[in-house]
Amino acid sequence: MHKNKGRTGQLAYHFMMAPGMIFLVIFSFVPMLGIVMAFENYVPAQGIFGSKWVGLANFQYMLQIPDSWNILRNTVIIALGKIIFGTIVPIIFALLLNEIRLKWAKKTMQTIVYLPNFLSWAVVAAIVINVFDYTGPINNFLTGLGMHPIMFLASNHWFRKIMIGTDVWKNFGYGAIVYLAALTGIDPGLYEASAMDGANRFKQLLHVTLPGILPTIMLISALNLGNILNAGFDQIYALYNPIVYETGDVIDTYVYRVGLLGQQYSFATAIGLLKSVVSFVLLISANKLSIKFANMRIF
Amino acid sequence: MKKKIIAGIAAGIMLASSTVGLVGLPNPFTGNLQAAAATKQQLKPFGKYKKTITYTIGKSTPGIPKLPKGSTYEKNAYTKYLKQLLNIQNKDSFEAETGDSYNQKVSMAVASSDLPDIMSVDLNTLRELVANNEIQDLSSVYKSSTTPYIKAMYNSYHGRALKEATFNGKLMAMPSTQNANVPTMLWIRQDWLDKLGLKAPKTVDQLQQVLQAFVQRDPGNNGKGNTIGLALSKSVGGEYGGLFVADSLFSIYNSYPRQWIKQNGKVVYGSTTNQTKQGLAKLASWYQKGLIDPQMAVRDSIESLIISGKAGAFFGPWWSGDYPINSALQKDPKADWKPYIISKTGNGKISAYTQDPDSEFYVVKKGYAHPEILPKIVSALSDRLVRKDKNYKPVVDFVQGGYDGGKPINVLVNFDNATAQMYKNLQATVDGKKDPKTLTLDDTTSYNAIKTYLKDPKNAPVNAKSSYWSRMLGAKLMATTKVKNVDSLYFGQTKSMQLKWSNLQKLEDEAFLQIVTGQKPVSYFKTFVRQWHQQGGTQITKEVSQAVK
Amino acid sequence: MIRSKSFGSRLSYIIIWLLLLAMTALCFVPMMNMVSISFSNSSAASANQVGLLPVHFNLNSYSLLLEDGQFWRSFLISIERVVIGTSLNLILSVLMAYPLSKTTKQFAARNIYMNILIFTMLFSGGMIPLFLVVKGLGLMNTIWALILPGAVPIFDVILLMNFFKSVPESLEEAAMMDGASKLTILFKIYLPISVPALATIGLFAIVGHWNDYFSGLLYMNNPANYPLQTYIQQLNVDMTKITDPSQLKALASVSDKTLNAAKIVVSILPVLAVYPFLQKYFTTGLIIGSVKG
């Protein structure tokens, strides 16, 4: 009786998993068969299973292209910039906000800075284009100071900085939430104790506050490690132009433009595969690291 | 419950395997094969079908939809015209904005082997489609279903226009053509010449003297040292019909930078020839004398030099009057720019390289039963509609309403010397030898501007002035200058080019700029050529020679 | 506390305030500028004279927008997508999270499923194979192409699973005694106490569906079927096509700035509408997501 019930229980569980799994099979596993394209010279008319097998030729080709290193560099610079500033700025904001006692002011400021996170990149791109326009507000300000206007979005000097800056702009408020939560978790007794020892505010920050949120910082940083090859397709695709390919072209945009628009399907799949593998390894290590150091697991 | 689960799993597997099937075995023959082939009557360029023939297309649309209210890309003045004339109707497989969005749709259509019956592709895609046997041979329908006028336009390129679309003797696509835009000319400040009492330059040496006078005597009152003789682009040369590149100077030395040309029976890359070295040496000596914009290496907007009145001369195509001179006139109505031809001996005879005669290629999917529909549409849109039926009311209203994007396919075929033709027609009309009513719509607009200008040249509005300078002065030089064409031979990408070309271009760009600005001596050219060959140039030259054989 | 109000601490308090206000203004001003442009007259807008407040306040662009059929069509498509997509996301997440929240003793295949989920979250076949599948199923140009490929939001499943883990075992056992089926337990016992978690993932799904622009570009064969954010992205596109810096300047003057600004403002209204709820729940999301292991 009992045993039987266990079996139906198991079946019920499988039954519940089934609808989701069907979707995963169709839209995740079947497309994964496409990965074989990375090892062949995919000719659409011959199909995935009829095209010629070329082994690692697409990967070798990737290493030979001078563009490769440039694109890898752009990707890592932009992604790292976003990770670093996307960690520091929210921490600073959370620390500052934590000092404020005025409830309504706190709430208002939070409401405003969280908002950009929920806008699409299509909308944010429109805002960015408006602000950095050749005759837009920033350039008005520059010319007001007697400087020359700058074509920011068509400048290889500025493009990466703007990508990092606007990404931080969009996300720092929301990113601060987790640190604010961590800050409230710090035992107030610790502050009192250090105040007794004559520690000033700065020393308290150094010896109580920062150690208190360190595990959170570690966890978030570890999570971000998996993003080191994700420089943000939606953002860059919405903002770049041929003039800034040199500094703004990242793996995902390159795959899209050269691989997909240029119809080098196998080549595109090969780059995508390599990127997936590297990200996968990074995330698994990140998970290990966060279990080890922060006693938290990502999944 | 068990049954349900099993059924569920089975359904999942079936769905999965059916998609595998679709992915693995795409069927290229999904067109309406069953439709009967065209009769002899229907093969004629304007032979009308009895039953409406529907054809699918990939529609490339303007960025902002500019159709009249109630019209669609499948139902507007142009599709109505085609329906009336030929009884054909387009159905759009996809519609996307010209550029990335359209290319993405084409790429996805190719990836899934599900092409529309007719679509426009670029040269590389055309080659892929031919290699993979996915499009039809159009040789016979081109013969049977294209009007003589269209054929004459294609032939005006002396075979170059159709050659790119021909593979093993078979015509695989009908291209849109790009007509000649050379020679580029020297545009110079006539008011400065007059002020200094100088004659317009005809040779390189005379030009040098004029530039020297401009820089030293500051006729524009820019302040000492602020006048720039010649405005020049960072790329220096090799952009066909481009603004601010010194192609007309290079050609005097028989140099054709950035072009694949034939020299002594061999295919060479123009940037690496000794002749190009001579051209660069001349520019370098001018730069050293201060005759060229000293900040050319870092100049973002060369136009600003023209608009602000700092520069006295630049090389530009016939339409330079419209841009950037139009902007310059708005700032300073007295800026009097005039075009001249510089030649070796001053006799006005020059040479120039040709450009890619084709801008895009229209292909017909393999298996589509009515391939003749493509040449018929081309004949209808590029011949009949602009000549015999040019007063077809719906289309006239459409164009005059400022609408755009109605043609199911944007194919454009024109004579190679279309600009010179335009000038001749306008001149004849001005001289009273041609009825203004016979002008095309575009030319009528130009003619009205020219009339306004001629009434009172001094006080003519800016747009009338710039229109006159472009179409009557610039285009006149196109029509009357004797040009020896040097054919640029290759425009695609060979296998090695995909890998190495961007690097070689960088090497080339830097070498040109460094030599002109004196950062490297002219003798560095030899080093550049050696490096260029070492880093893949030799191999690429071999591949190109093979490709153009 | 009163003692510590020395000059130094007051000064630092002022600095803190200034920094916070600056950061807030940095977020507020660019958004507000967009709103102001939409209410300004177009010549002031194209001359870039609009700052924080509208210049020559008027509603012209909004009345123009009312007549823009394509905009509203796209708007409706996005709404439709949000409603269907979010419902599907929620149903599937709930159904999968419940069995996964069980131990391997209770559900033997649990870890196998879990590994499959994590693998699919981190690994994909890429854009082209997925496209071929979507096309092969005949979903092109339909709203299902935007919804079905992302029907299982794996991250949400994991969030919800972690939340379900915290539900006391005793509740379920009591219900089992009464002979309730698993499905009944899930819907009668788990769901009512999971409202905050469901609200969290539901709201994030809403925003995610609303904001996605790229799948519209990929799967819609006709601009008439673009969802709203794809439509908005196409407004920006002219800028990204430039190959010559001089074009950038020319474009600024031709585009219809106030109308586009109005489109953007209206396109974020739905996000603003759910924003108060989002704010209420997004901390929950972060907390239930990070369960100590």
Side-chain angles (χ1 to χ4, degrees):
Chain A
M1 176 68 195
H2 186 255
K3 210 175 169 188
N4 194 15
K5 197 164 184 185
R7 269 244 313 268
T8 38
Q10 297 274 316
L11 275 177
Y13 289 143
H14 283 293
F15 178 55
M16 288 176 183
M17 294 299 293
M21 291 312 289
I22 290 174
F23 279 108
L24 285 183
V25 166
I26 298 173
F27 294 106
S28 293
F29 284 95
V30 174
M32 269 185 223
L33 297 175
I35 288 177
V36 298
M37 276 163 59
F39 303 97
E40 54 188 26
N41 179 18
Y42 174 61
V43 175
Q46 292 161 9
I48 287 183
F49 302 111
S51 294
K52 204 176 122 206
W53 188 263
V54 295
L56 294 177
N58 289 313
F59 295 89
Q60 283 163 351
Y61 179 63
M62 191 191 317
L63 294 178
Q64 283 175 307
I65 295 188
D67 283 352
S68 296
W69 299 110
N70 193 30
I71 281 144
L72 185 66
R73 196 177 66 228
N74 290 341
T75 310
V76 173
I77 289 176
I78 293 175
L80 257 186
K82 285 179 178 176
I83 292 172
I84 292 170
F85 290 100
T87 309
I88 295 175
V89 178
I91 293 174
I92 294 174
F93 183 73
L95 290 174
L96 291 171
L97 202 68
N98 199 41
E99 297 292 318
I100 299 292
R101 303 275 167 265
L102 222 51
K103 264 259 169 72
W104 65 268
K106 204 168 170 173
K107 184 97 191 157
T108 313
M109 286 196 277
Q110 281 174 305
T111 306
I112 292 170
V113 298
Y114 293 170
L115 184 58
N117 183 265
F118 298 98
L119 304 182
S120 78
W121 270 116
V123 166
V124 175
I127 293 175
V128 171
I129 291 167
N130 174 45
V131 168
F132 288 98
D133 191 83
Y134 190 69
T135 54
I138 292 189
N139 273 318
N140 274 348
F141 180 70
L142 290 182
T143 43
L145 292 178
M147 290 192 266
H148 285 294
I150 297 167
M151 272 178 279
F152 285 102
L153 290 168
S155 152
N156 280 308
H157 178 70
W158 286 100
F159 191 77
R160 285 197 291 237
K161 298 184 178 88
I162 290 173
M163 290 307 103
I164 294 168
T166 52
D167 186 73
V168 172
W169 178 84
K170 188 175 187 287
N171 297 323
F172 85 89
Y174 187 70
I177 295 175
V178 62
Y179 298 108
L180 281 169
L183 283 171
T184 53
I186 298 175
D187 181 7
L190 290 175
Y191 287 105
E192 281 163 29
S194 74
M196 292 279 216
D197 294 343
N200 61 18
R201 258 224 175 92
F202 183 69
K203 282 212 167 126
Q204 283 185 353
L205 175 74
L206 225 53
H207 297 296
V208 182
T209 315
L210 284 182
I213 59 170
L214 194 62
T216 314
I217 298 176
M218 299 280 287
L219 177 73
I220 301 287
S221 307
L223 268 172
N224 279 331
L225 198 62
N227 279 328
I228 201 112
L229 295 182
N230 280 328
F233 177 84
D234 279 6
Q235 176 196 21
I236 295 175
Y237 182 72
L239 284 167
Y240 82 163
N241 57 66
I243 302 168
V244 291
Y245 283 167
E246 189 186 328
T247 54
D249 213 4
V250 296
I251 295 176
D252 291 334
T253 52
Y254 185 80
V255 166
Y256 180 70
R257 203 182 65 252
V258 174
L260 210 139
L261 298 187
Q263 297 168 23
Q264 306 192 38
Y265 307 109
S266 288
F267 181 52
T269 312
I271 302 181
L273 176 62
L274 195 64
K275 191 196 145 196
S276 266
V277 170
V278 173
S279 299
F280 187 76
V281 171
L282 284 173
L283 248 185
I284 297 294
S285 347
N287 193 35
K288 288 257 159 64
L289 280 178
S290 64
I291 292 172
K292 194 170 171 192
F293 290 111
N295 195 26
M296 288 186 180
R297 48 189 321 145
I298 304 166
F299 37 76
Chain B
M1 182 168 274
K2 199 171 177 182
K3 264 187 187 164
K4 268 189 188 170
I5 297 163
I6 293 168
I9 293 170
I13 292 168
M14 269 166 58
L15 264 172
S17 57
S18 71
T19 52
V20 174
L22 284 163
V23 176
L25 302 164
N27 180 5
F29 299 104
T30 43
N32 39 5
L33 265 178
Q34 64 275 35
T39 64
K40 206 167 174 196
Q41 167 62 24
Q42 287 163 352
L43 278 175
K44 283 185 181 161
F46 302 125
K48 194 170 177 174
Y49 295 95
K50 281 209 185 80
K51 254 172 76 185
T52 306
I53 301 290
T54 307
Y55 60 106
T56 59
I57 57 167
K59 169 74 187 154
S60 157
T61 70
I64 303 155
K66 283 188 198 150
L67 291 174
K69 228 178 180 151
S71 291
T72 67
Y73 292 120
E74 290 173 354
K75 194 168 167 272
N76 61 55
Y78 289 94
T79 61
K80 195 175 153 199
Y81 175 70
L82 290 173
K83 183 96 187 271
Q84 276 181 8
L85 184 69
L86 303 170
N87 198 14
I88 57 174
Q89 174 63 50
N90 58 309
K91 195 169 168 308
D92 297 354
S93 286
F94 54 82
E95 292 172 359
E97 186 176 339
T98 311
D100 269 12
S101 302
Y102 178 79
N103 294 342
Q104 187 221 64
K105 294 292 165 220
V106 169
S107 175
M108 288 311 199
V110 173
S112 52
S113 275
D114 183 15
L115 309 181
D117 297 335
I118 296 174
M119 68 172 175
S120 147
V121 297
D122 60 18
L123 184 56
N124 283 334
T125 308
L126 173 65
R127 291 201 174 124
E128 282 293 310
L129 291 173
V130 170
N132 297 329
N133 199 19
E134 297 199 68
I135 52 174
Q136 293 199 30
D137 176 7
L138 301 175
S139 311
S140 80
V141 292
Y142 175 76
K143 271 191 209 111
S144 64
S145 311
T146 314
T147 60
Y149 185 70
I150 298 281
K151 285 178 184 154
M153 290 199 279
Y154 278 130
N155 290 338
S156 71
Y157 295 82
H158 306 289
R160 291 186 303 123
L162 294 182
K163 194 181 156 204
E164 266 188 286
T166 306
F167 297 78
N168 293 328
K170 292 177 184 161
L171 182 70
M172 301 306 287
M174 287 185 78
S176 277
T177 59
Q178 306 192 89
N179 50 280
N181 252 326
V182 286
T184 50
M185 36 209 87
L186 177 78
W187 289 83
I188 199 159
R189 281 291 288 263
Q190 186 68 41
D191 50 333
W192 290 12
L193 286 175
D194 295 346
K195 193 172 169 187
L196 301 177
L198 295 168
K199 267 206 267 173
K202 283 184 174 168
T203 65
V204 177
D205 288 340
Q206 286 170 8
L207 173 59
Q208 181 173 331
Q209 283 159 14
V210 165
L211 293 177
Q212 216 140 19
F214 280 179
V215 172
Q216 281 163 5
R217 294 163 65 188
D218 186 23
N221 297 322
N222 283 310
K224 230 185 155 55
N226 285 337
T227 294
I228 283 155
L230 182 71
L232 190 63
S233 147
K234 266 183 275 212
S235 65
V236 181
E239 287 170 28
Y240 181 87
L243 259 180
F244 310 129
V245 284
D247 285 350
S248 351
L249 182 95
F250 281 106
S251 69
I252 287 173
Y253 299 95
N254 292 319
S255 150
Y256 309 97
R258 298 175 209 268
Q259 310 302 318
W260 293 99
I261 49 165
K262 217 162 219 172
Q263 207 174 45
N264 306 325
K266 268 199 226 149
V267 174
V268 292
Y269 188 55
S271 296
T272 61
T273 61
N274 246 333
Q275 287 82 348
T276 296
K277 182 181 172 184
Q278 290 172 28
L280 287 172
K282 185 44 112 187
L283 287 171
S285 80
W286 284 4
Y287 186 88
Q288 206 192 359
K289 292 191 175 83
L291 307 183
I292 295 177
D293 175 16
Q295 291 185 55
M296 66 173 278
V298 292
R299 181 80 62 195
D300 269 337
S301 161
I302 308 170
E303 290 87 342
S304 67
L305 292 177
I306 311 300
I307 295 166
S308 63
K310 286 214 173 90
F314 68 92
F315 291 109
W318 64 274
W319 46 261
S320 302
D322 296 326
Y323 184 87
I325 291 173
N326 182 298
S327 309
L329 281 171
Q330 287 182 357
K331 191 135 191 266
D332 176 11
K334 287 197 285 292
D336 187 10
W337 289 92
K338 290 277 144 62
Y340 293 100
I341 293 288
I342 302 289
S343 57
K344 194 166 188 174
T345 59
N347 63 358
K349 282 187 186 162
I350 58 165
S351 66
Y353 62 88
T354 56
Q355 74 170 330
D356 189 344
D358 302 330
S359 62
E360 56 173 356
F361 300 86
Y362 285 90
V363 296
V364 177
K365 180 177 77 173
K366 192 142 220 172
Y368 180 57
H370 290 283
E372 76 280 1
I373 223 170
L374 174 61
K376 287 173 83 165
I377 296 172
V378 175
S379 302
L381 294 179
S382 272
D383 175 1
R384 185 138 173 162
L385 189 58
V386 292
R387 301 200 307 155
K388 192 167 178 226
D389 289 345
K390 75 174 182 156
N391 292 323
Y392 178 69
K393 185 103 184 8
V395 168
V396 172
D397 290 346
F398 187 94
V399 175
Q400 282 176 342
Y403 301 112
D404 188 19
K407 292 181 189 172
I409 64 175
N410 302 327
V411 66
L412 251 164
V413 187
N414 215 337
F415 287 100
D416 194 18
N417 62 351
T419 309
Q421 294 277 8
M422 170 196 76
Y423 162 74
K424 282 177 187 157
N425 285 335
L426 287 172
Q427 185 65 55
T429 318
V430 169
D431 294 345
K433 288 177 196 152
K434 190 172 160 70
D435 183 0
K437 279 187 199 135
T438 60
L439 289 173
T440 63
L441 218 57
D442 279 351
D443 287 355
T444 309
T445 318
S446 308
Y447 173 67
N448 289 335
I450 290 163
K451 253 193 341 201
T452 315
Y453 173 84
L454 287 173
K455 251 183 233 151
D456 183 4
K458 270 216 174 111
N459 302 311
V462 167
N463 285 340
K465 225 185 219 179
S466 56
S467 197
Y468 182 86
W469 289 357
S470 287
R471 282 165 193 77
M472 296 304 276
L473 302 182
K476 181 183 180 180
L477 288 182
M478 296 237 349
T480 54
T481 305
K482 283 221 159 63
V483 183
K484 188 183 129 232
N485 278 330
V486 175
D487 276 345
S488 193
L489 299 171
Y490 188 77
F491 308 101
Q493 275 216 320
T494 67
K495 206 161 168 16
S496 301
M497 272 169 126
Q498 289 177 3
L499 207 63
K500 292 168 176 160
W501 195 240
S502 63
N503 241 23
L504 288 178
Q505 273 180 319
K506 214 181 218 172
L507 182 73
E508 177 184 354
D509 287 345
E510 277 168 10
F512 279 15
L513 191 60
Q514 285 173 333
I515 290 172
V516 170
T517 58
Q519 285 172 306
K520 293 262 165 75
V522 177
S523 59
Y524 170 73
F525 187 81
K526 221 172 134 188
T527 321
F528 152 67
V529 172
R530 203 184 59 232
Q531 284 175 347
W532 188 88
H533 277 288
Q534 276 169 358
Q535 293 176 22
T538 309
Q539 174 64 22
I540 290 170
T541 309
K542 218 187 271 166
E543 290 172 4
V544 171
S545 313
Q546 219 124 52
V548 301
K549 237 174 211 168
Chain C
M1 267 313 199
I2 294 164
R3 257 186 304 152
S4 72
K5 271 201 174 170
S6 64
F7 175 71
S9 105
R10 264 193 208 170
L11 185 69
S12 64
Y13 206 63
I14 290 171
I15 291 174
I16 287 170
W17 263 103
L18 286 178
L19 283 173
L20 279 172
L21 287 177
M23 287 172 110
T24 312
L26 203 63
C27 285
F28 181 69
V29 173
M31 292 189 278
M32 189 60 208
N33 182 244
M34 198 49 93
V35 176
S36 301
I37 288 173
S38 73
F39 287 110
S40 297
N41 87 352
S42 46
S43 61
S46 51
N48 272 299
Q49 291 163 345
V50 183
L52 257 189
L53 294 172
V55 176
H56 304 298
F57 181 93
N58 68 74
L59 295 170
N60 287 352
S61 49
Y62 287 91
S63 56
L64 267 178
L65 183 55
L66 280 179
E67 292 162 21
D68 192 323
Q70 186 52 49
F71 178 86
W72 295 108
R73 193 185 148 88
S74 291
F75 195 96
L76 282 180
I77 290 169
S78 278
I79 296 276
E80 193 185 345
R81 171 179 178 177
V82 164
V83 172
I84 303 175
T86 306
S87 316
L88 190 64
N89 286 159
L90 282 176
I91 294 169
L92 292 176
S93 306
V94 167
L95 283 177
M96 293 180 92
Y98 175 64
L100 289 173
S101 72
K102 301 297 159 200
T103 61
T104 38
K105 252 190 206 146
Q106 292 160 316
F107 181 29
R110 188 254 172 205
N111 281 358
I112 298 171
Y113 280 117
M114 197 61 211
N115 285 332
I116 291 176
L117 247 63
I118 288 172
F119 184 70
T120 44
M121 181 166 73
L122 301 176
F123 227 79
S124 82
M127 204 184 284
I128 297 156
L130 180 59
F131 175 89
L132 294 178
V133 170
V134 170
K135 184 159 187 167
L137 292 172
L139 303 179
M140 285 298 287
N141 233 0
T142 69
I143 194 151
W144 301 107
L146 308 176
I147 293 170
L148 298 186
V152 183
I154 295 170
F155 193 72
D156 292 351
V157 173
I158 295 174
L159 279 187
L160 205 57
M161 172 195 84
N162 283 337
F163 189 86
F164 283 167
K165 274 185 183 168
S166 65
V167 175
E169 194 82 357
S170 52
L171 279 177
E172 185 165 346
E173 276 163 15
M176 292 249 277
M177 291 297 180
D178 296 341
S181 75
K182 294 286 177 196
L183 216 55
T184 320
I185 293 171
L186 172 58
F187 283 100
K188 289 269 164 66
I189 296 178
Y190 275 75
L191 285 198
I193 52 176
S194 312
V195 170
L198 289 174
T200 311
I201 63 172
L203 287 165
F204 278 88
I206 290 175
V207 175
H209 278 295
W210 185 260
N211 278 347
D212 169 45
Y213 76 78
F214 194 72
S215 49
L217 218 51
L218 200 57
Y219 296 128
M220 291 302 156
N221 272 344
N222 190 325
N225 294 334
Y226 281 163
L228 190 60
Q229 295 302 327
T230 312
Y231 174 89
I232 299 279
Q233 199 268 340
Q234 292 284 297
L235 297 181
N236 298 335
V237 135
D238 286 336
M239 199 287 301
T240 61
K241 269 198 314 212
I242 55 163
T243 49
D244 181 328
S246 61
Q247 292 169 272
L248 200 61
K249 283 177 253 169
L251 270 172
S253 52
V254 294
S255 66
D256 200 341
K257 235 176 151 179
T258 55
L259 181 59
N260 285 355
K263 286 174 181 171
I264 285 160
V265 171
V266 174
S267 87
I268 60 179
L269 288 183
V271 175
L272 288 180
V274 297
Y275 189 53
F277 305 100
L278 273 170
Q279 240 189 327
K280 193 170 158 198
Y281 288 115
F282 50 38
T283 339
T284 340
L286 282 161
I287 290 166
I288 57 176
S290 54
V291 169
K292 296 224 172 188

